[in-house]
Each structure stands twice: as C-alpha cells, then as structure tokens.
C-alpha cells in the first residue's frame, strides 16, 4: 500500500492468511509496530510448520483404507490432520466472514470467491504428495480409485464449520481446484456457478460437501466426470 499509515490490522491478517511466507513492506512495518499482529503472525507460522511436519510423515500403506473403514463403520474420528489447525481457526475471522452463509446460499460462488482470495494456489507448489492426497480424501470420507491428475497444492483453509482443504490438481483438461468442506450438507444435489472467469460446482459427499472449480464450463464437465468415475464419495 502507498500509505503505510492507512494499513490496518485487518489488512495485515488478510495478507498473512493469503500467503504466510511472503509479506509486503507495509505488512512487515505494521507487524513491527503492532504487538497483536506479531502474535497473530507467530500463531500462523507455528500452525503452518506443524501442519507441514505432520503431512511430511510418509503415509503407511493401507492407512487410507483403514481410515475409510472406520468412517464407513460409523466411527467418525475427528479430522486428525486438522486438529493442529483448530486453535488457529479461532483466529481466522477474515476467512470465516468470507464463508458466512446468506439466505440464498450459493456454494459454487463461495468456492470461486475462495479461489480468488488465494491466487497463490495457482502458482505455488506445496504438500504435493499423492499419498497425502489419498489420505486427506480418506479422512474426508472418499476413496480414490485412480489418479485424477498431479497434485500441485494442498492447504488447510478456514471455513464456517472449522477447517477445510484447498487442493489444486493439474489434469489433462487443465488446472482444477478441489475444495473439501466438512460439516455442511447441501440441500440440492448440485450447484453450478460461473463468476469472474471461473466455473464451479458444489456437490454433497464425504463429511460435508466438495466443490470443483475450473477455468471453463467444458473443463468442469470433463473433470466432474473424472471425479465421478475415479472417486467414491460417502454420502
């Protein structure tokens, strides 16, 4: 920002959540002068480090299947990979407000707005391990039968019911974002929305619902077919 004196705590928290590793000069100056935002930044950095440490541990063979077995037998364990982020989620006011439900809820629109809020997800590479992706899906209540594409990016994100997964895949039909949102069941079977060059579809499945976001309606249809063919979703 050109006027650093106008830079607020809300600006800092939005920027820190969007990309914890890179801060603008204005954000760094604000953090130097604001004890509350320094503390907030430390909590975010600690959560990022803990989450990456957990996901860096190789997933044992068959663990995803054992997780699914527990889910399908009614043993709904808490999201173990998300437990580390639970305390940080309490501080995610910006993300929470972004996902606040309205009277006419449009979950496809929410999904696109979430992608627009995290533009770095389309260029960064983080936690991009196929076995971790399979485990995250299993924890959500889904079984991956065949690859959908190359995992480029996975990140825990704030959503109203707690924390969800933001995943970016490189597919034969172009890049696709997959959001896994726990705790909320859709009343309608599907919701499709087009906004600002993106098309999104939200569907019930797993421990809540999931949304697919692509750069064209044609890619959305193709990738939706892949998901239907290659992933079994608990409903």
């Amino acid at each position: 920002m050109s006027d650093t004196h106008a830079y607020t705590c809300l600006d800092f928290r939005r920027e820190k959540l969007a990309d914890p590793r890179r801060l603008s000069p204005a954000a760094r100056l604000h953090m130097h002068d604001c004890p509350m935002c320094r503390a907030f930044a430390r909590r975010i950095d600690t959560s990022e480090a803990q989450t990456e440490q957990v996901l860096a541990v190789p997933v044992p063979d068959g663990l995803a299947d054992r997780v699914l077995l527990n889910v399908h037998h009614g043993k709904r364990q808490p999201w173990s990979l998300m437990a580390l982020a639970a305390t940080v989620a309490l501080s995610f006011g910006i993300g929470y407000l972004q996902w606040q439900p309205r009277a006419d809820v449009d979950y496809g629109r929410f999904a696109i707005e979430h992608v627009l809020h995290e533009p770095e997800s389309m260029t960064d590479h983080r936690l991009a391990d196929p076995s971790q992706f399979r485990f995250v899906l299993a924890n959500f209540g889904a079984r991956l039968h065949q690859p959908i594409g190359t995992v480029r990016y996975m990140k825990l994100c704030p959503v109203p019911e707690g924390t969800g997964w933001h995943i970016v895949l490189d597919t034969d039909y172009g890049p696709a974002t997959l959001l896994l949102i726990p705790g909320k069941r859709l009343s309608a079977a599907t919701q499709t929305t087009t906004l600002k060059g993106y098309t999104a579809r939200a569907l019930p499945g797993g421990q809540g619902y999931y949304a697919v976001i692509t750069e064209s309606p044609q890619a959305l249809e193709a990738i939706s077919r892949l998901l239907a063919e290659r992933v079994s979703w608990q409903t």
Side-chain angles (χ1 to χ4, degrees):
M1 292 193 178
S2 59
D3 182 2
T4 56
H5 294 289
Y7 197 95
T8 67
C9 293
L10 185 63
D11 294 324
F12 177 83
R13 296 184 182 211
R14 181 183 292 113
E15 186 173 335
K16 183 66 176 175
L17 288 172
D19 191 345
R21 290 183 176 83
R22 290 191 289 269
L23 293 177
S24 67
R28 290 195 294 270
L29 179 61
H30 177 86
M31 184 173 65
H32 179 269
D33 295 335
C34 179
M36 291 183 62
C37 285
R38 281 201 303 275
F40 176 82
R42 285 196 297 269
R43 290 197 299 272
I44 296 299
D45 290 340
T46 299
S47 174
E48 286 275 309
Q50 289 177 325
T51 301
E52 291 192 7
Q53 183 178 7
V54 169
L55 289 177
V57 176
V59 179
D61 291 341
L63 180 57
D65 289 334
R66 293 198 297 273
V67 170
L68 273 174
L69 184 63
N70 285 338
V71 170
H72 284 291
H73 282 234
K75 300 176 182 177
R76 287 179 164 263
Q77 302 296 330
W79 284 37
S80 57
L81 295 183
M82 295 180 180
L84 293 175
T87 55
V88 178
L90 298 176
S91 302
F92 279 161
I94 297 168
Y96 182 86
L97 289 173
Q98 176 192 357
W99 287 85
Q100 279 285 0
R102 297 186 286 264
D104 53 340
V105 178
D106 185 340
Y107 292 101
R109 181 184 181 90
F110 283 179
I112 294 173
E113 289 174 348
H114 189 86
V115 170
L116 293 172
H117 185 68
E118 294 191 22
E120 74 279 3
S121 67
M122 302 306 294
T123 55
D124 284 2
H125 289 74
R126 53 177 288 158
L127 306 180
D129 185 286
S131 64
Q132 293 167 355
F133 176 53
R134 185 182 297 272
F135 179 66
V136 165
L137 281 176
N139 227 11
F140 187 71
R143 184 190 298 273
L144 179 64
H145 301 290
Q146 297 180 57
I148 305 165
T150 302
V151 183
R152 177 201 295 175
Y153 177 94
M154 291 202 306
K155 181 184 176 183
L156 288 165
C157 292
V159 294
E161 279 70 27
T163 315
W165 282 98
H166 183 149
I167 302 162
V168 179
L169 302 163
D170 285 327
T171 76
D172 292 339
Y173 306 97
T177 298
L178 177 64
L179 301 182
L180 306 178
I181 314 298
K184 178 67 179 179
R185 296 285 181 177
L186 300 188
S187 55
T190 62
Q191 296 182 3
T192 303
T193 304
T194 298
L195 177 70
K196 295 186 178 180
Y198 288 96
T199 302
R201 178 170 295 157
L203 306 97
Q207 295 188 22
Y209 76 93
Y210 64 98
V212 185
I213 306 95
T214 64
E215 296 177 354
S216 72
Q218 294 78 14
L220 179 66
E221 294 302 328
I223 295 168
S224 294
R225 285 197 299 272
L226 275 184
L227 286 167
E229 294 167 358
R230 301 182 180 184
V231 181
S232 299
W233 300 90
Q234 178 190 2
T235 56

